[in-house]
Structures are given as structure tokens and as C-alpha cells.
Amino acid sequence: MDFIGLCKKIISIESTPSTGNGEVAQFCAELCRGAGLEVTLQERSFRNQKNFNLLARPPNSKDPKEEVIFQTHLDTVEPGPLSHWAKTDSNPFYATIEGDKIFGLGAADVKLDFLCKLFALAQFKDEKFRKPFVLIGTYAEEVGMHGAQYIIESKAVNSKLAFIGEPSELQIVYANNGYMILDFKIFFSDIEKAHKNSPLDMARTQEKMFHGKAVHSSTPHLGDNAILKLVGYVAKLPRGTAILNASGGSSENTVPADAEIEIDGGKVFDSSVGDKLVLLFQELQKLEREFLNFDNRDFAPPSPTLNPGVLETKEWGLNLAVSFRITPEVRAHQLEEWIERFEKFSKKNGMECVRKRISPPALTPITGELVKGAIEISKRLSLPLKPITKASSTECSVYGQCGIESIVFGPGVSIGNSHTANEYNFLSHLEKAKQFYAEAVKRFCL
């Protein structure tokens, strides 16, 4: 199968959080073996799904003193509403090509990058290495970077340098924001539970849907958050209106394109989960105003952001997952102060705030060996030379905490493209990425 055929094939294999990356990891493992590489699979169970970290090395390179990491995550986000995938006939796993663009879930973020690395690295498998390469495909990056964390915990690599695959428009990314997710549990009162579980007068119930625009949560200003529209609607209802169901979004790190709510317009309580939801959003808006005090003009957006990403109805109430992008200006003590503030606020107002995930920012010195070498390669290939930052969080955060110099590099556009319907990559970018990785092997491994 040629390179384009493999691109279509790897997109066709679902590797969302709900399915795990097991099938795509096995497919990539066979490709690596077929290319003459030695493969190790780390099997892990995550969210009751079989997942794998894939590690592929040149033959006869066991137990090296030091190796160079080339890593790409093999999982994707959930696709969201299938009807939005107009470029792929409402099937996000059916890759289509128009001119220089290939469309499909994972085209940019980031499965095709793994193929670029494999095609580039495999041609050097029989060379004598100063520092051999290790090609890694990780699981569960989109939901907490669990695969990369297990690579470190299991001591599966011995490295000081890492190339992390994410769409960067073929630019060198030396720093990225931190990432945090807080779950807010908004509990039904006993009266609300009893009403919700009782026979309802369907003539009084009302359903309403809200539509927005999905984008990556690192750039929420480019999207249109449907959950915000839902909360705005609830704020206009009479205080205490009975909320029967409310939902929206499919992933914390995606701005939700759709949301819906069901209410009992004829039932009003002294207080409802709807009132608490509106109160919580008012507190989140206060925090957004404080974010403006932590600007970093090297980042776009320049200040921290937040995204109410997933709203679900549980038997005990509503669960709202909010993700936060944290610039390096926010120190650990300031972040802890914000979290504690929301924990106290939640307890006071009949809610609970749960820390679900915290990933620190990543910052690699631009004067270090890795960035300087990457710039040399980019110059030879006529690629952009100025190192940039990335608003989203990446697996560099994991490696940076262990003293491993890491940069992000990859084909495709991130902003306005990752985590959206009709995600695409450029075929020309894929070819340039293969060249970059081949030059990286020459520069850092041979």
C-alpha cells in the first residue's frame, strides 16, 4: 500500500477515547515490523478499553545509553455530530482528498504524522547510530497524556531529546500552555430528584437545542460555545425552574458545537440546579477577567483561557467539565489559589469541585541543542525558522518535567482545524515532514 493509501487506512481505524487505540496501535505495529523495526507494545487498560504504547527501534539497538524520541499520539478526540463532516460524507473515518488537502478525523491531530515519522526513520534502520531513534505511538493523549506518562513511569526510554508530533504548520514549537480540567458536580435537591423520577405532564415539558461552532479549546475565541448559549437561556428562565436534563459537548478540550436542555415549565422550586449552574458561570466569568493580568505576548491567545466543554445529566445532578489553558506566567501557588477558591465556592453553593487533570506548561530553551539543531534543519528545507509557542498542551509537558528537551513539530494546521469537523492536512506538508524527520535522524542520531 502506498503512502496515501496508508493515510486513508489509518484514518479509517477509530481510536477515540470511547474505543481506545488498540486497533490502530496493532496496525502501526505491523507497519513498523514490515519496515524492519523491532516493536515493543505496552498494553494498558484505560476507561475499560484496551490501549497500547508502541515503541519501534532499529534492529540491534537494545539498551542504548541514550536514544532520541520521535513521538506521536495515536488517539483522537470524539468526532462530534457526524452531520458536520460534510467533506467526508458524514463519516469522519472516511478520508477524502481535494487538491492538496486530505480530510478525516486525525488527519492533522495527529495520526498521519506517525506515518511521516515511520517512512522517514525506517530508511536508516541499518545505520550505525551514535544515538539510535525510538519511534513511539502513545495512547490517551487527548484525555490526560496517560500514554506518555506511562512511558516515563515504566522507564521504557533513556533519552534527553524528543520530537513530539502535533500540527504546527511545519514550525518549531518550543513552549506550550499548561492544561487543567475541573469537574463541577451540581447536585439535585431531594425535591428535584423526586420530581424528576415522578410521572411528568408532557404538555408542560419543553426541549430546546443550541448550536455553535467547534474548535480546539486552546483557542475558544475562534469558536461558538453552545453550552454558554444554554446557560444564557437558563439565566432568563424564572428562578427555580425545574431542569430535567441538560447536555452538551463531547470532549473537554473541544469547544462544544451542540447542547440541549429539557425543562418542566410548570414547576418552580425555591432553588434548582439551573440556578446553581448560572451562579457557577458567573464565578467563571470573574476568573476570566482575572486571566487578563497574566499576559504572555509570545502566546496566542496571550492570556489564560477556559472552556466549559462537557455538560451531562447524572442521576445525582449535572456534571460540568471545564478545561483551562494556563500560560507560563501563572505560578503554581496562583493556580492552587484559584482551585481552592472554586472548591470553597462549590461547597458553599451545594456543589463539588473535583480536580480531574493538571498538566504544567512546557518550555524548552531556544539556545539548547534541540532547538538550535531543528532550526538548522528548517533552514536547509526552507521551512519557517522562528521558534513559536503553542496555546494547547502537549506531551512536551510530560517530558519537560523529566529534564528531556522537547519540541513540537508536525504537518498541518492546528488553530481552527484540530478538534473540528472536516479536519484536514496538506499532502505537501506531509512530504515536508518526512524530509524534516529524515534530516533530524542525520543531525541527532548518526
Side-chain angles (χ1 to χ4, degrees):
M1 192 178 295
D2 63 9
F3 181 75
I4 298 300
L6 289 174
C7 288
K8 291 183 176 181
K9 176 63 178 178
I10 199 171
I11 287 173
S12 74
I13 304 173
E14 183 174 356
S15 56
T16 61
S18 59
T19 63
N21 82 335
E23 185 179 352
V24 74
Q26 293 285 4
F27 172 74
C28 290
E30 287 305 308
L31 289 182
C32 292
R33 294 187 184 106
L37 303 180
E38 295 186 354
V39 174
T40 301
L41 288 172
Q42 295 182 317
E43 181 176 343
R44 303 289 289 171
S45 177
F46 181 73
R47 294 186 177 179
N48 298 317
Q49 298 291 339
K50 186 180 291 187
N51 286 272
F52 295 92
N53 280 330
L54 182 163
L55 298 93
R57 294 180 168 96
N60 304 315
S61 65
K62 294 182 179 179
D63 301 320
K65 291 183 179 180
E66 187 179 332
E67 53 194 344
V68 179
I69 294 170
F70 291 82
Q71 181 166 308
T72 299
H73 66 85
L74 297 174
D75 62 312
T76 71
V77 295
E78 299 290 346
L82 301 186
S83 60
H84 292 185
W85 288 83
K87 292 290 188 179
T88 59
D89 295 332
S90 299
N91 180 358
F93 309 105
Y94 173 64
T96 61
I97 294 177
E98 286 186 8
D100 190 38
K101 291 181 179 180
I102 179 168
F103 295 87
L105 181 60
D109 192 9
V110 68
K111 291 196 287 189
L112 300 192
D113 179 73
F114 183 88
L115 296 179
C116 293
K117 287 186 170 77
L118 174 58
F119 268 64
L121 273 55
Q123 62 184 299
F124 300 99
K125 66 180 186 299
D126 296 322
E127 296 286 346
K128 185 176 181 180
F129 293 96
R130 179 169 50 91
K131 299 175 185 177
F133 64 78
V134 53
L135 172 60
I136 301 177
T138 53
Y139 70 89
E141 187 275 345
E142 297 287 7
V143 288
M145 304 183 192
H146 297 277
Q149 290 176 27
Y150 188 69
I151 291 287
I152 297 300
E153 292 168 9
S154 63
K155 299 180 179 179
V157 295
N158 182 18
S159 180
K160 294 180 181 178
L161 303 175
F163 292 85
I164 305 300
E166 292 287 353
S168 73
E169 300 184 57
L170 303 175
Q171 297 178 86
I172 300 160
V173 178
Y174 72 96
N176 62 249
N177 277 337
Y179 187 52
M180 177 174 72
I181 299 175
L182 299 179
D183 270 358
F184 293 93
K185 301 181 183 299
I186 308 172
F187 299 105
F188 288 126
S189 65
D190 290 340
I191 297 176
E192 286 179 289
K193 285 181 183 178
H195 178 70
K196 182 175 167 57
N197 294 325
S198 66
L200 299 174
D201 182 352
M202 300 308 294
R204 297 189 321 199
T205 62
Q206 303 172 35
E207 294 183 5
K208 189 171 179 63
M209 298 191 69
F210 306 86
H211 302 288
K213 177 186 176 183
V215 296
H216 196 285
S217 65
S218 62
T219 53
H221 61 291
L222 299 179
D224 188 12
N225 194 309
I227 292 177
L228 289 178
K229 294 181 178 182
L230 181 152
V231 176
Y233 169 75
V234 173
K236 296 177 182 178
L237 295 173
R239 180 176 172 80
T241 297
I243 307 296
L244 303 176
N245 293 288
S247 64
S250 58
S251 170
E252 295 97 335
N253 56 5
T254 302
V255 172
D258 295 281
E260 58 184 312
I261 191 169
E262 181 184 11
I263 67 170
D264 183 344
K267 188 67 176 180
V268 176
F269 303 106
D270 291 338
S271 177
S272 74
V273 290
D275 300 334
K276 298 173 185 176
L277 183 64
V278 171
L279 193 63
L280 173 58
F281 270 75
Q282 291 172 347
E283 196 68 18
L284 289 170
Q285 288 168 348
K286 291 180 185 177
L287 181 60
E288 282 188 301
R289 290 192 289 271
E290 292 181 37
F291 283 166
L292 299 178
N293 297 320
F294 296 88
D295 265 10
N296 184 327
R297 292 296 164 177
D298 289 335
F299 282 81
S303 56
T305 61
L306 63 83
N307 174 59
V310 180
L311 178 65
E312 300 174 288
T313 302
K314 307 289 188 179
E315 63 179 29
W316 43 261
L318 304 181
N319 190 87
L320 176 70
V322 182
S323 66
F324 301 78
R325 302 288 172 174
I326 309 299
T327 57
E329 278 61 39
V330 179
R331 304 305 181 193
H333 69 87
Q334 176 63 72
L335 189 61
E336 182 65 25
E337 181 182 310
W338 285 337
I339 296 172
E340 290 179 356
R341 190 171 92 192
F342 273 102
E343 289 173 340
K344 293 177 181 177
F345 167 85
S346 298
K347 186 175 182 180
K348 178 181 177 182
N349 292 283
M351 298 178 262
E352 182 181 354
C353 174
V354 179
R355 308 178 189 207
K356 187 174 180 180
R357 170 183 171 185
I358 301 177
S359 300
L363 179 63
T364 295
I366 60 175
T367 57
E369 175 190 5
L370 184 58
V371 175
K372 288 172 64 177
I375 292 173
E376 292 173 7
I377 296 169
S378 293
K379 187 174 182 179
R380 286 199 295 272
L381 298 177
S382 300
L383 297 177
L385 300 182
K386 184 180 179 181
I388 63 171
T389 64
K390 192 172 179 66
S392 60
S393 185
T394 76
E395 288 163 313
C396 289
S397 296
V398 177
Y399 289 115
Q401 294 297 297
C402 303
I404 299 174
E405 287 190 31
S406 309
I407 60 168
V408 161
F409 180 90
V413 175
S414 176
I415 296 175
N417 182 41
S418 294
H419 299 194
T420 67
N422 303 312
E423 176 187 345
Y424 67 90
N425 210 324
F426 296 107
L427 300 179
S428 56
H429 275 210
L430 300 176
E431 292 302 315
K432 280 288 189 180
K434 286 190 281 186
Q435 295 174 32
F436 181 92
Y437 297 134
E439 291 297 318
V441 173
K442 296 175 186 177
R443 171 65 173 76
F444 294 99
C445 299
L446 299 184

